[in-house]
Amino acid sequence: MAPSELPATPTLDAAHSGIPARLLHKATHAKSLVYDGKTVADTVTLQRGLPVPQGISKSAFLSAIDELRTLIGAEHVQLNDKQIKNGWYMEHSNTHDMMPIFSSEEFIASAVVYPGSVEDVKLIVKWANKHLIPIFPISVGRNLGYGGSAPRVRGSVTIDLGRWMNKILDINPDGFTCLVEPGVTFYALHEELVKRGLDDKMWIDTPDLGGGSVVGNTLDRGVGYTPYGDHWACHSGLEVVLPGLDSNGDVSVMRTGMGALGVGGENTWQCFPYGFGPYNDGIFSQSNLGIVTKMGMTLMPNPGGFESYMYTFAKEEDLAALIEIIRPLRISMILENVAQLRHGLQMLSVKGHPRTKYYTGSDPMPDDVVRKHLRETNIGECAWVYFGMSYGPAHIRRYKLDIIDKEFRRIPGCRKVDPSTMPDDEYFWTRDRIASGTPDLEELKWVNWMPNGSHIAFSPVSPIRGKDAENLWALAKKRHAEAGIDLMPAFCVGLREMHLIVEIVFDSEDEAMKKRAEKCLRDMIDDAAALGYGEYRTHLAFMDQVARTYSWNGNALMKFNNQLKDTLDPNGILAPGRCGIWPKRYRNRGWELKGGETSTEGNGVAPVSGGSRI
Ligand code: EUG
């Protein structure tokens, strides 16, 4: 479709989740590629009508919604009973998983509410406790590949925090910290630094795509690509609305770390994450124990120069030797950022064209076909590509780059690609921008590999060892071959571990392919677990399976999480099932997904007598 035929992508001036004006041309282009690949209408009429959550009648639910309208304002409550719109990355859905591995009407909200303040969030929590209606908070809702904005429990009421709660409350140019609300995206935070003339002084750490919420991504323990890549490790201070009611029937708000000080907490809230006593922040990440309404984050000083580099490696079998070279360099910070080691096929797919441009077979694309097409690109024929960045003034970089060059060249066939040979629109430059704190929009292009391109991620963590890389690579290869799916792995190397990220790209309209994609991921999770590897994050449909792999000592961890859940959220209203943690009311009623199901729902919820209070 010609870009001119599609409505323009909203910019940041028009929407909190919009694209920065400087990237509008990219959004226009990316949008036309996505819509070229869509074979079905973007807007779909709901076949099953209003998704009422289990445990409440439709009429009781509708009268509760009327009450919510009175509390928050009718214009801030939207019922989801007619049509859903899939959209695309920049104009994403907040009602359902727009990359559905099951039917679109499984992971779906009954309504969306848009709070304007912490007070509104408290009212919503109180309302949910009164009516025993499941609520599912999202910050921006761009957790794509992991369920996006969708709730785990069908018919939950989604709290879209980001639409109105999207202020950058503070940027401290002396202390290099900021304080943000859930609706602040990496794009928006970066643009604000530019606007204030601070972008030359301080950097943010951005993931591959910049549209995600800083709060949401950090709470989900997302990763970026500067030396500050571990977002959770870089946050300092949370403000949290708790899900239970206190003895007066009220909702509590607490601040963690130094923010808990009765007087003057703001002074040190973003400088020191721990405060006094138990460090509680952890129970609010990847959890369903609180609604985070503010978060502090560190910003990185401009290191005084930076230089991206890219090496290619000839053979797939070079993987283990290369990882062995990377480990000591990474631990000693000669390799300074979360670098990516990508498979050659991903360098083709990220160009944004459908796979049929390169290959029409129904089997995974053969190696010689991948190599032939890579030969015609600027990168050239190879098996693996390493993207890294060196920071600091030229003489400091030289010292590190020389060591890296000498070490990498121990692998026969290693090539350093000269950046000056890379045209402006080459993928190399998006890695360069991201590793220097400028969010971009290139990464989503590989979803176009399939028509109606959707994705789910296999995200195991391992030590940085050749043997581990080989194990994971081998099991992924085996399961992709069985499923007939192209394997596009990227190793993201942290300080002591690496995240392998395998995005399975599937056609959301191809039911058979969806089944194969689900089986492929379930098999990889089980295979990896049998070898001692666990996922760091997963899609809604796989949370029960992944949670079960963390079973040490008679599931001691899950028992503890259940205890916390029962104590902090006795009515079980907040994001039931998120990360495999089910409230008491849902337990042992068949809500856990094990694979092969066609429904995401269990057999009802237990009634709660007398409205539990803490
Ligand atoms: C990516 C990286 C991730 C993740 C999902 C996707 C990048 C894809 C390091 O974490 O969880 C190219």
Side-chain angles (χ1 to χ4, degrees):
M1 201 177 289
S4 57
E5 291 171 39
L6 292 162
T9 304
T11 57
L12 271 174
D13 309 324
H16 73 288
S17 60
I19 192 82
R22 69 176 173 89
L23 291 175
L24 182 57
H25 64 287
K26 282 199 188 194
T28 305
H29 178 60
K31 187 173 181 178
S32 74
L33 291 178
V34 168
Y35 279 79
D36 276 345
K38 289 202 190 219
T39 64
V40 288
D42 213 16
T43 302
V44 186
T45 300
L46 290 177
Q47 299 300 303
R48 298 166 65 185
L50 176 69
V52 179
Q54 289 199 22
I56 186 168
S57 70
K58 184 169 177 181
S59 61
F61 177 78
L62 287 173
S63 71
I65 288 289
D66 278 342
E67 188 184 317
L68 187 63
R69 289 193 172 110
T70 313
L71 290 168
I72 309 295
E75 69 278 30
H76 302 309
V77 180
Q78 241 167 31
L79 209 57
N80 186 33
D81 60 346
K82 293 185 180 66
Q83 294 180 321
I84 48 172
K85 193 170 175 348
N86 287 317
W88 69 294
Y89 180 76
M90 284 312 304
E91 293 162 88
H92 64 292
S93 159
N94 65 0
T95 53
H96 67 291
D97 186 0
M98 61 193 254
M99 301 189 158
I101 190 73
F102 300 141
S103 144
S104 293
E105 293 185 47
E106 284 300 324
F107 295 124
I108 189 167
S110 54
V112 185
V113 56
Y114 300 93
S117 63
V118 175
E119 281 309 308
D120 279 354
V121 176
K122 289 169 66 178
L123 289 172
I124 295 165
V125 169
K126 198 165 177 173
W127 169 87
N129 274 285
K130 178 176 168 193
H131 298 284
L132 300 176
I133 290 174
I135 48 178
F136 191 88
I138 59 170
S139 297
V140 169
R142 284 207 179 101
N143 200 17
L144 297 178
Y146 296 122
S149 60
R152 171 62 184 81
V153 165
R154 184 166 196 274
S156 299
V157 171
T158 294
I159 309 175
D160 188 333
L161 296 161
R163 178 180 282 187
W164 303 126
M165 298 171 71
N166 53 42
K167 282 186 288 300
I168 297 168
L169 298 167
D170 185 41
I171 294 179
N172 181 334
D174 305 316
F176 290 80
T177 61
C178 63
L179 181 68
V180 292
E181 290 187 327
V184 177
T185 64
F186 292 93
Y187 288 143
L189 187 54
H190 179 259
E191 288 307 299
E192 187 62 22
L193 290 179
V194 174
K195 204 163 106 193
R196 296 192 194 182
L198 290 170
D199 57 312
D200 196 42
K201 177 174 174 170
M202 47 178 52
W203 291 1
I204 65 166
D205 184 278
T206 177
D208 294 82
L209 289 163
S213 155
V214 178
V215 171
N217 180 279
T218 302
L219 291 176
D220 229 38
R221 301 200 288 266
V223 174
Y225 300 95
T226 74
Y228 282 31
D230 179 347
H231 292 168
W232 182 251
C234 291
H235 95 283
S236 185
L238 301 175
E239 181 184 86
V240 191
V241 176
L242 297 174
L245 303 179
D246 66 19
S247 49
N248 299 319
D250 292 329
V251 176
S252 309
V253 184
M254 74 173 201
R255 291 184 175 181
T256 67
M258 303 305 283
L261 274 178
V263 177
E266 282 88 353
N267 286 334
T268 42
W269 200 12
Q270 272 66 71
C271 320
F272 183 64
Y274 308 125
F276 182 74
Y279 177 60
N280 309 108
D281 291 43
I283 65 167
F284 301 111
S285 81
Q286 288 194 2
S287 86
N288 48 14
L289 299 173
I291 302 175
V292 174
T293 48
K294 292 180 183 63
M295 185 189 76
M297 194 73 185
T298 47
L299 298 164
M300 180 177 147
N302 182 335
F306 59 89
E307 184 175 345
S308 286
Y309 52 90
M310 172 173 141
Y311 285 86
T312 68
F313 299 89
K315 299 196 296 283
E316 278 187 355
E317 311 83 81
D318 291 334
L319 179 65
L322 180 55
I323 296 289
E324 286 295 311
I325 289 172
I326 288 172
R327 183 186 56 253
L329 295 179
R330 182 71 180 103
I331 291 175
S332 60
M333 287 286 238
I334 297 295
L335 298 171
E336 294 162 88
N337 66 332
V338 176
Q340 285 198 353
L341 180 65
R342 296 197 159 209
H343 190 262
L345 180 55
Q346 206 171 29
M347 303 316 301
L348 274 190
S349 63
V350 82
K351 292 189 178 295
H353 304 295
R355 96 192 278 268
T356 47
K357 178 183 161 99
Y358 308 99
Y359 187 63
T360 50
S362 58
D363 52 325
M365 193 188 276
D367 202 39
D368 58 312
V369 180
V370 179
R371 286 177 172 271
K372 170 178 162 300
H373 289 290
L374 276 176
R375 219 177 293 141
E376 290 154 17
T377 70
N378 292 311
I379 289 161
E381 184 178 333
C382 63
W384 302 100
V385 188
Y386 183 96
F387 292 96
M389 178 159 315
S390 184
Y391 300 88
H395 65 286
I396 307 265
R397 300 199 302 266
R398 190 78 276 132
Y399 173 78
K400 295 175 281 197
L401 288 169
D402 285 348
I403 296 173
I404 295 162
D405 195 67
K406 181 167 145 278
E407 289 296 309
F408 279 8
R409 284 186 195 285
R410 283 163 47 199
I411 298 191
C414 155
R415 268 191 305 122
K416 183 169 188 179
V417 181
D418 179 357
S420 71
T421 66
M422 297 276 117
D424 286 352
D425 61 354
E426 182 61 43
Y427 179 76
F428 174 84
W429 296 113
T430 191
R431 293 250 66 91
D432 180 69
R433 284 185 287 274
I434 289 166
S436 55
T438 302
D440 209 343
L441 186 68
E442 291 295 320
E443 197 61 46
L444 65 91
K445 284 187 177 169
W446 46 251
V447 298
N448 301 317
W449 196 241
M450 298 304 294
N452 310 301
S454 302
H455 56 101
I456 43 171
F458 174 51
S459 319
V461 168
S462 80
I464 313 170
R465 288 186 307 217
K467 188 65 202 154
D468 299 302
E470 262 178 357
N471 286 345
L472 289 167
W473 165 246
L475 71 85
K477 202 161 181 162
K478 173 171 168 242
R479 296 306 189 177
H480 277 67
E482 288 169 5
I485 292 174
D486 295 323
L487 171 56
M488 293 184 249
F491 290 92
C492 303
V493 189
L495 264 180
R496 292 288 187 289
E497 54 68 45
M498 50 192 187
H499 295 33
L500 166 61
I501 305 294
V502 178
E503 291 279 11
I504 300 176
V505 184
F506 62 94
D507 175 353
S508 67
E509 294 302 309
D510 181 339
E511 291 305 321
M513 183 173 203
K514 283 161 67 164
K515 292 239 153 45
R516 286 186 283 128
E518 185 198 347
K519 179 162 182 349
C520 181
L521 182 46
R522 290 210 185 277
D523 287 344
M524 290 194 295
I525 292 168
D526 285 345
D527 291 352
L531 295 170
Y533 306 111
E535 267 55 39
Y536 94 103
R537 188 175 180 187
T538 201
H539 184 279
L540 295 170
F542 302 85
M543 287 175 169
D544 297 314
Q545 185 186 355
V546 169
R548 268 200 314 277
T549 66
Y550 287 82
S551 60
W552 187 78
N553 199 18
N555 300 304
L557 181 66
M558 183 50 79
K559 287 177 185 164
F560 179 73
N561 283 330
N562 284 343
Q563 250 180 319
L564 288 175
K565 185 67 179 165
D566 293 344
T567 305
L568 294 176
D569 180 14
N571 289 328
I573 48 109
L574 186 60
R578 187 163 199 279
C579 290
I581 303 163
W582 290 98
K584 208 178 224 150
R585 300 181 65 209
Y586 291 74
R587 261 172 241 154
N588 307 315
R589 288 171 172 268
W591 284 87
E592 294 190 6
L593 295 174
K594 299 186 164 66
E597 292 91 353
T598 50
S599 163
T600 58
E601 292 187 280
N603 307 311
V605 290
V608 171
S609 54
S612 289
R613 291 185 181 172
I614 296 170

